[in-house]
Amino acid sequence: MGRAPILCMQIDEDLQLRLLETCYAEEYYRLIDRNRTHLGRWMPWVKYENSPETTKAYIHQSLVHFANDEAMQTSIWYRGQLIGSIGFPRLHWSDRTAEIGYWLDAEAQGRGVITRACRALINYAFERYNMNKVEIHTAVGNVRSRAVPERLGFTLESIIPQHQWLHDRYVDVVIYGLFRRDWQG
């Protein structure tokens, strides 16, 4: 029997969020590699995840950020299988704002996994971290990703033209926000 994860949030009987740890590096890398085309469409970081070693280095760095209360990256487990990642890539303590970022295996889409995981992280941000606001940033053209904050009651706050370099062009980024006072979680 393996050791228990450092941090594990049981969302429901099928869904779990575990702190992204180095013991998951090879499996995490294989998931990224299997979804390289799918993820590469909107995630510029995919091109840098080109070996289990680079993935392990990324995970190690994310654990340093977690230990320093700068970020929190979790892996998404559905029925015992690693299927994606969600977390707080940035925790802005000075203004009490957390940003949520996520990605999911192409085969796991359409089950409400990201919506349920986001709901859990929103609660975590407001209850555990005492944040005032949660944001989700995504490319304007990423319709599936945009549907999540819209479904959860976020407000579209702004569109920043040509904000992110994506492979060979700039893309506009939309910022959604949700204040603690408005959360119906």
Side-chain angles (χ1 to χ4, degrees):
M1 181 177 213
R3 67 169 183 75
I6 294 171
L7 171 75
C8 181
M9 290 183 242
Q10 191 71 42
I11 308 303
D12 54 40
E13 67 180 45
D14 292 328
L15 189 59
Q16 221 179 48
L17 303 182
R18 300 179 193 170
L19 186 66
L20 186 57
E21 298 179 57
T22 53
C23 62
Y24 306 131
E26 287 194 32
E27 191 172 359
Y28 194 74
Y29 171 75
R30 285 192 303 271
L31 181 63
I32 292 168
D33 199 44
R34 193 170 62 244
N35 282 275
R36 197 162 294 282
T37 302
H38 165 67
L39 295 173
R41 184 165 179 220
W42 298 110
M43 310 285 180
W45 55 262
V46 170
K47 65 183 172 188
Y48 302 109
E49 294 290 332
N50 52 21
S51 73
E53 292 74 30
T54 57
T55 300
K56 190 172 186 175
Y58 161 74
I59 293 171
H60 176 75
Q61 189 61 44
S62 75
L63 288 169
V64 170
H65 290 300
F66 176 71
N68 291 331
D69 275 337
E70 299 167 343
M72 182 178 81
Q73 198 60 41
T74 69
S75 49
I76 303 171
W77 296 79
Y78 182 79
R79 298 181 178 168
Q81 299 294 315
L82 176 61
I83 61 165
S85 184
I86 188 168
F88 301 118
R90 284 174 264 318
L91 295 167
H92 301 280
W93 294 103
S94 61
D95 60 7
R96 315 289 308 165
T97 300
E99 181 185 333
I100 294 178
Y102 45 81
W103 63 267
L104 193 62
D105 180 16
E107 294 179 13
Q109 292 185 342
R111 299 179 192 153
V113 167
I114 292 295
T115 301
R116 293 182 347 241
C118 272
R119 191 174 284 119
L121 282 189
I122 293 165
N123 285 330
Y124 198 89
F126 291 148
E127 294 168 12
R128 172 87 175 175
Y129 286 150
N130 196 31
M131 293 294 179
N132 181 54
K133 183 182 181 188
V134 173
E135 294 180 347
I136 295 177
H137 303 192
T138 187
V140 168
N142 191 342
V143 176
R144 290 189 85 124
S145 188
R146 289 185 66 178
V148 174
E150 291 170 0
R151 193 176 305 121
L152 290 168
F154 281 67
T155 300
L156 191 157
E157 294 183 335
S158 64
I159 296 176
I160 305 171
Q162 298 185 21
H163 187 68
Q164 182 182 43
W165 180 256
L166 187 62
H167 309 304
D168 60 351
R169 69 193 186 293
Y170 284 102
V171 295
D172 299 348
V173 170
V174 61
I175 298 176
Y176 290 93
L178 177 68
F179 289 97
R180 171 200 293 271
R181 68 173 184 249
D182 300 326
W183 178 233
Q184 305 295 317

